[in-house]
Amino acid sequence: LKGDLKITWHEDALEVTAFDMQIAGSNARLAGGGRWLPGQTFEDIRLEWNDLSWPLVAEPRLESSSGLVQLDGRVDDWRLDGRMILRSPPYPEAELSLLGTGNTTSASIKLDRSAVMGGVLQGNGMANWEGPLTWSANLEGLNIGLATLWPDWPANIDIDLSANQESPQQGIQI
């Protein structure tokens, strides 16, 4: 592993002005930066990468040719924006676009028209941990190509899945 890292503590803020790491002998790169005021704000926090895989020293189970995640806002009103290309060998890659918002008691995330298996996935989820944990999620898929996973099933399908839990006693509803 080689790279640059510069972290500065300014009175009440942690600032990363240089973060650029590379894995020796590969094209893998992880870079980012931003400013964090603990308990207050996230300012232009970003993490970007290319040619990463996990685990690093064995046969990869997850690969990403590129990605960028950005976080900005106050602790009680933050925004997340992420775009990435992921692949879990031997399956084909997926191009994902994520948008999120949240505060100190809840968060929501949206999967925004992401390309998966020749089709499109979109959905959203939310969680609220003020009091008992509640959550909900839905996922819609259009024209998802089964042949990418099972060549003997050359069909495309549409899916519509929803799940939630309104209280710990309720259990999960699908």
Side-chain angles (χ1 to χ4, degrees), residues 124-157:
N124 58 57
M126 70 72 78
N128 186 325
W129 50 89
E130 184 174 37
L133 175 66
T134 61
W135 62 270
S136 66
N138 71 52
L139 182 66
E140 296 176 3
L142 301 172
N143 206 30
I144 305 299
L146 295 180
T148 57
L149 297 178
W150 303 290
D152 294 338
W153 291 21
N156 292 346
I157 62 169

Side-chain angles (χ1 to χ4, degrees), residues 54-171:
W54 189 260
L56 297 175
V57 294
E59 190 67 31
R61 293 185 183 177
L62 184 64
E63 300 173 344
S64 181
S65 60
S66 65
L68 171 64
V69 176
Q70 295 175 285
L71 176 64
D72 212 354
R74 297 185 321 267
V75 172
D76 61 354
D77 183 21
W78 53 264
R79 293 164 308 285
L80 176 82
D81 185 2
R83 300 192 187 320
M84 61 205 70
I85 298 174
L86 297 176
R87 180 174 181 266
S88 181
Y91 306 113
E93 68 182 27
E95 295 181 37
L96 304 178
S97 174
L98 304 171
L99 302 168
T101 59
N103 55 45
T104 58
T105 60
S106 66
S108 65
I109 193 159
K110 177 181 179 184
L111 179 63
D112 190 31
R113 295 196 53 81
S114 296
V116 176
M117 295 171 42
V120 175
L121 278 182
Q122 59 189 24
N124 58 57
M126 70 72 78
N128 186 325
W129 50 89
E130 184 174 37
L133 175 66
T134 61
W135 62 270
S136 66
N138 71 52
L139 182 66
E140 296 176 3
L142 301 172
N143 206 30
I144 305 299
L146 295 180
T148 57
L149 297 178
W150 303 290
D152 294 338
W153 291 21
N156 292 346
I157 62 169
D158 295 344
I159 60 172
D160 189 356
L161 302 171
S162 294
N164 68 57
Q165 185 173 22
E166 295 299 322
S167 72
Q169 297 80 20
Q170 173 196 8

Side-chain angles (χ1 to χ4, degrees), residues 1-4 20-30 50-53 56-57:
L1 187 63
K2 64 178 184 172
D4 296 317
D20 192 347
M21 299 291 164
Q22 297 178 333
I23 297 174
S26 77
N27 292 327
R29 179 176 174 258
L30 184 62
N50 60 274
D51 298 322
L52 289 183
S53 62
L56 297 175
V57 294

